[in-house]
Amino acid sequence: MGELNMSEMTLPSLFEQARKIHELATDSSVDQESLRKGCEMLEKCEEMISKLGLFSTNETKDDISTANLKYNLVPYYLGELTEKVSEEDRLQILRASQAKLKEFVSFCEAMELVPEEELESLKQGGSNTFADKRARKIARFKRQKAAESKLLEIKERRERRGRSTRAAALSTPVEAGEEDVLDDDGEEEREAWLTTISLAICKAFDLLEMLRKEQEMLSAVKKRQMQDGGKEFAESNLDERTRKAESWHRDASVRAQYTKPAPPITCATFAQDVLEGRASVSQEHDHKHQPLIFGPASLKSGSRTSERERMMAQVFQPNHRLPTMSIEEAGETEMEMMNQWQERTKKYIEEANSAWYKDPFKPGPPEEDEDDDAAVERARAEDDWKDENPRGAGNKKLTPCG
């Protein structure tokens, strides 16, 4: 019944259905049945495009009409959906996907849509240096971001125009013959499809590189299996390797406790260890303040946090301010402040209750009488010095008439 419906559908409806499946496969996971159905729709689109003769090898982007521009994306969509199909022979899927992506790139090259640096990389093959690959990848990323922002701008522009059109239609009735004027956005639609094709070119090159690397890895594994006599890796061998790796990590975490002394844990981590059963309340803990350690606790052999997890915790720190002291230290500090305040208050109360007239008179030691002759001599010497040094005598040079 599905084949009958697909055969009766037109090219625009087939393309829209396949494009929706492609969007769902890009944004979220889609079941294999939907992926295969999308591939069948795109293959049917290719067949109808070739029968209708919509494109020619000697045409450029200026020669293709706006209504037919979107059909250039058919091989790109087919290549992406084919890559997501799960089959036993993964190499065959990779080759089919790469063939469709290369077909899309070659057709865009004929339409003069592929940038010059990408064409040069295709001509040079794999002889580029690491610096050239990096520069080309950065330029491709910038083109991709520019295309995405441009598509978002066109979408927002259409939404604003649609809202204004609906508001105008509600306020003023549209007369006969004005509908085409209001919906005349052919240039904007052409710009949107050309930008979508440019974005698809950037993604196609990235996907081609990824598929090429995956094909090389699978070919190397298959070649090694053939050299070993066609034997595949058994699950028992994989389980044995996993068991060895887990035992090595477990032993390393145990050895780390003796090779390097662990810093004292904080009250928070000690409480967490008690809750998770790695420590008991009866154990001694001096509650020394250290920076709080965050991270997963070691589930191997029931021991406390290992050295590896402490290093992980030092990297993944919380984004909020950590406490500077424990609850016990805060309580002790507040108690000490309260004691000092009470002592000062007691002292102030005692001073307020005491007064000079309430205190008994305590005569002090008698002051010794100075020698009258020595005092007279000092007074005379001071008078003589004042006579010899009148006031302002040292400032004569500073006065105008001095």
Side-chain angles (χ1 to χ4, degrees):
M1 186 70 181
E3 295 179 357
L4 181 61
N5 292 336
M6 191 180 301
S7 61
E8 293 177 355
M9 293 174 66
T10 59
L11 179 59
S13 58
L14 266 177
F15 179 78
E16 286 300 324
Q17 291 292 332
R19 191 169 66 88
K20 290 179 182 179
I21 295 176
H22 176 266
E23 290 179 356
L24 291 175
T26 305
D27 298 337
S28 60
S29 59
V30 181
D31 56 347
Q32 295 295 317
E33 183 179 357
S34 299
L35 288 175
R36 290 187 173 87
K37 184 177 180 181
C39 292
E40 291 178 2
M41 288 183 176
L42 291 171
E43 290 174 355
K44 184 66 176 178
C45 288
E46 281 189 336
E47 181 181 353
M48 297 177 70
I49 289 171
S50 61
K51 286 182 179 179
L52 295 174
L54 296 181
F55 304 116
S56 178
T57 55
N58 57 356
E59 288 181 343
T60 61
K61 59 183 178 180
D62 298 330
D63 301 328
I64 300 175
S65 62
T66 304
N68 296 335
L69 269 177
K70 56 186 177 182
Y71 300 125
N72 294 327
L73 297 168
V74 170
Y76 168 70
Y77 290 161
L78 184 56
E80 276 202 339
L81 292 182
T82 304
E83 186 268 334
K84 297 179 185 297
V85 175
S86 61
E87 293 286 346
E88 294 183 0
D89 192 359
R90 179 63 179 172
L91 284 174
Q92 183 178 358
I93 295 294
L94 294 178
R95 293 191 188 100
S97 178
Q98 290 184 65
K100 289 300 177 182
L101 292 175
K102 289 178 181 178
E103 179 183 350
F104 169 69
V105 171
S106 61
F107 194 74
C108 291
E109 180 183 358
M111 289 194 304
E112 301 177 356
L113 289 172
V114 183
E116 293 295 333
E117 54 266 23
E118 299 290 356
L119 293 177
E120 292 178 0
S121 65
L122 287 176
K123 294 177 182 178
Q124 293 175 2
S127 61
N128 295 333
T129 60
F130 179 77
D132 296 338
K133 292 181 180 178
R134 183 176 181 273
R136 188 167 59 252
K137 204 169 188 65
I138 291 174
R140 186 185 303 159
F141 178 77
K142 290 180 179 179
R143 289 196 305 271
Q144 181 175 347
K145 288 299 178 182
E148 290 176 353
S149 61
K150 192 172 183 180
L151 286 175
L152 183 60
E153 179 185 356
I154 293 173
K155 182 179 179 182
E156 293 177 353
R157 196 190 312 160
R158 285 180 175 176
E159 290 178 355
R160 288 196 301 267
R161 189 170 59 251
R163 289 194 297 268
S164 62
T165 303
R166 287 192 297 270
L170 291 176
S171 60
T172 304
V174 180
E175 297 181 0
E178 292 185 358
E179 293 84 353
D180 297 337
V181 177
L182 294 175
D183 297 335
D184 188 12
D185 55 350
E187 293 296 332
E188 188 178 55
E189 183 180 1
R190 186 177 186 84
E191 182 183 7
W193 283 118
L194 288 175
T195 307
T196 306
I197 293 173
S198 301
L199 179 62
I201 290 172
C202 298
K203 293 183 178 181
F205 277 106
D206 290 336
L207 186 57
L208 277 173
E209 292 180 2
M210 186 185 68
L211 295 179
R212 192 181 303 112
K213 292 178 182 179
E214 185 179 357
Q215 185 178 0
E216 292 176 357
M217 294 173 60
L218 291 178
S219 300
V221 171
K222 191 172 183 179
K223 183 178 180 181
R224 183 176 179 180
Q225 291 177 358
M226 293 178 64
Q227 289 177 356
D228 294 341
K231 296 185 297 180
E232 296 183 355
F233 292 106
E235 292 186 2
S236 58
N237 296 336
L238 295 177
D239 294 340
E240 182 66 24
R241 292 184 182 183
T242 306
R243 202 176 303 111
K244 288 182 179 179
E246 290 179 355
S247 63
W248 185 88
H249 284 290
R250 188 184 304 110
D251 297 340
S253 63
V254 174
R255 289 195 304 269
Q257 299 178 358
Y258 302 99
T259 55
K260 183 178 179 181
I265 62 177
T266 61
C267 302
T269 54
F270 181 75
Q272 188 69 21
D273 291 335
V274 171
L275 291 175
E276 296 182 2
R278 295 187 300 274
S280 60
V281 184
S282 61
Q283 293 180 356
E284 295 182 359
H285 185 58
D286 51 1
H287 299 289
K288 290 183 178 180
H289 174 66
Q290 294 289 338
L292 294 180
I293 297 176
F294 292 83
S298 175
L299 300 179
K300 308 289 185 182
S301 70
S303 62
R304 295 183 183 179
T305 308
S306 63
E307 180 64 22
R308 179 171 179 269
E309 291 171 349
R310 284 193 175 88
M311 295 174 66
M312 291 170 59
Q314 292 175 2
V315 175
F316 301 102
Q317 291 293 327
N319 56 1
H320 58 273
R321 290 187 177 183
L322 301 178
T324 57
M325 62 177 64
S326 62
I327 300 176
E328 291 83 358
E329 290 176 346
E332 293 174 359
T333 305
E334 189 173 356
M335 184 62 69
E336 184 178 357
M337 293 171 60
M338 181 60 68
N339 292 334
Q340 293 177 1
W341 180 80
Q342 289 179 353
E343 291 178 0
R344 287 197 303 268
T345 305
K346 184 179 180 181
K347 183 179 179 181
Y348 294 154
I349 292 174
E350 292 177 355
E351 291 179 355
N353 293 331
S354 64
W356 61 273
Y357 57 86
K358 293 183 180 179
D359 295 339
F361 176 74
K362 296 179 180 180
E367 297 181 359
E368 296 181 356
D369 296 336
E370 295 184 359
D371 192 359
D372 295 339
D373 296 337
V376 171
E377 290 294 333
R378 283 199 302 272
R380 288 176 181 177
E382 186 176 354
D383 292 340
D384 294 340
W385 185 86
K386 289 182 178 179
D387 293 339
E388 294 175 359
N389 301 283
R391 185 174 181 179
N395 297 331
K396 287 181 179 181
K397 293 182 179 181
L398 299 178
T399 59
C401 299

